[in-house]
Amino acid sequence: MENLGFYNGEYDLIENMKIPMNDRACYFGDGVYDATFCANHTIFALDDHIERFYNSAGLLGIEIPCTKQELGDLLTGLVKKVDSPEQFVYWQVTRGTAPRNHAYPDSKANLWVTLKPLTSADIAPFEKKYKLITVEDTRFYHCNAKTLNLLPNVLASEKAKRAGCDEVVFHRGDRVTECAHNNVSILKGGIFRTAPTDNLILPGIARKHMIQICKDNNIPVDETPFTVKDLMEADEVIVSASSLLAIQAIEIDGIPVGGKAPELLKFIQDEYLKIVKEKTGLKK
């Protein structure tokens, strides 16, 4: 298959799939999701992503209609049905299907999966350098749950696109939180600094892996809040996500940033890519 859509046990090409209008995703965005990539039909960091997916669902009181093992087996099997060995792997669960009512329905949750082709160039595109803009973070206070409620992120991303930039850095007052669809971390004085995993950021899997790489290689890690000023004065600014891994940002709000610790940044990138290659056999 060229791509694949899955809904509650049925699957077909994404463009052929039909979703009930009464799915609560349509009315309320009432659900959570997660996503990663696969290379050579092997899903990278699947256990980490499934763990976060169940945690997000638990924060919203959604009961996922299968076990973690069953979900892992399902995703592992579905990626083999798509021709491309490299894919964007996305799944979500919604609270159920029922006539519109704000109160929770007495219905079983709905499981969705979509699989779309990637190329090896889409994974760890370290040659790309990001330009960012800063935007006040007006999202709600449940950012640690990977919910479907992404309208503020969409609006901010459009603002970045119109400014000729690649991503947004959200901040609440002076405190940097995260990007519109990635995490942001910095290197300063040989220390890897990243925001704490409280309710204001999503606990990114790439962020988790970079922290472990640093700890394994005696690079100090600081998981306390940092400011917009810290961001602008950092030795390096790193945008991280599942397929991006760790991308260097070179400009924020039109001002050049980073570029002062290229060797340390490249070391982290190379170590991360090494892990991906070992786990998936990615050729890059």
Side-chain angles (χ1 to χ4, degrees), residues 36-223:
T36 183
F37 68 93
C38 74
N40 292 317
H41 291 102
T42 300
I43 303 174
F44 180 65
L46 180 58
D47 290 345
D48 287 333
H49 285 275
I50 286 179
E51 187 67 32
R52 184 174 66 179
F53 181 61
Y54 274 77
N55 182 66
S56 292
L59 290 170
L60 269 64
I62 295 175
E63 185 175 346
I64 296 174
C66 58
T67 66
K68 295 177 183 178
Q69 182 64 51
E70 289 169 341
L71 178 58
D73 291 344
L74 173 66
L75 294 171
T76 299
L78 289 177
V79 299
K80 292 180 171 60
K81 298 181 183 297
V82 176
D83 299 331
S84 173
E86 280 75 58
Q87 302 164 39
F88 176 66
V89 183
Y90 173 97
W91 62 97
Q92 69 180 40
V93 65
T94 65
R95 198 177 301 276
T97 304
R100 188 179 188 279
N101 189 329
H102 284 68
Y104 296 173
D106 183 17
S107 61
K108 184 179 178 180
N110 298 319
L111 182 64
W112 311 33
V113 181
T114 59
L115 306 174
K116 299 187 294 184
L118 291 175
T119 68
S120 58
D122 296 316
I123 302 170
F126 294 155
E127 67 283 354
K128 182 171 177 58
K129 310 301 180 187
Y130 267 31
K131 295 181 180 180
L132 314 176
I133 63 170
T134 56
V135 172
E136 182 69 30
D137 194 344
T138 60
R139 300 170 301 163
F140 67 168
Y141 286 91
H142 301 284
C143 297
N144 52 327
K146 201 169 176 68
T147 76
L148 305 180
N149 298 277
L150 297 176
L151 188 56
N153 306 60
V154 169
L155 295 173
S157 295
E158 178 64 17
K159 185 175 181 180
K161 184 178 77 172
R162 293 186 180 186
C165 293
D166 304 286
E167 209 359 335
V168 168
V169 177
F170 285 127
H171 59 91
R172 294 183 189 255
D174 287 334
R175 176 184 166 177
V176 172
T177 51
E178 58 187 350
C179 296
H181 42 95
N182 302 288
N183 287 125
V184 62
S185 305
I186 61 176
L187 295 173
K188 182 67 174 180
I191 300 172
F192 180 82
R193 296 193 61 186
T194 188
T197 50
D198 54 17
N199 65 317
L200 299 183
I201 77 160
L202 182 76
I205 304 303
R207 172 192 175 279
K208 172 184 175 182
H209 290 168
M210 285 193 295
I211 289 173
Q212 192 59 53
I213 288 168
C214 289
K215 290 182 176 180
D216 289 345
N217 291 278
N218 298 315
I219 299 167
V221 174
D222 180 355
E223 294 184 73

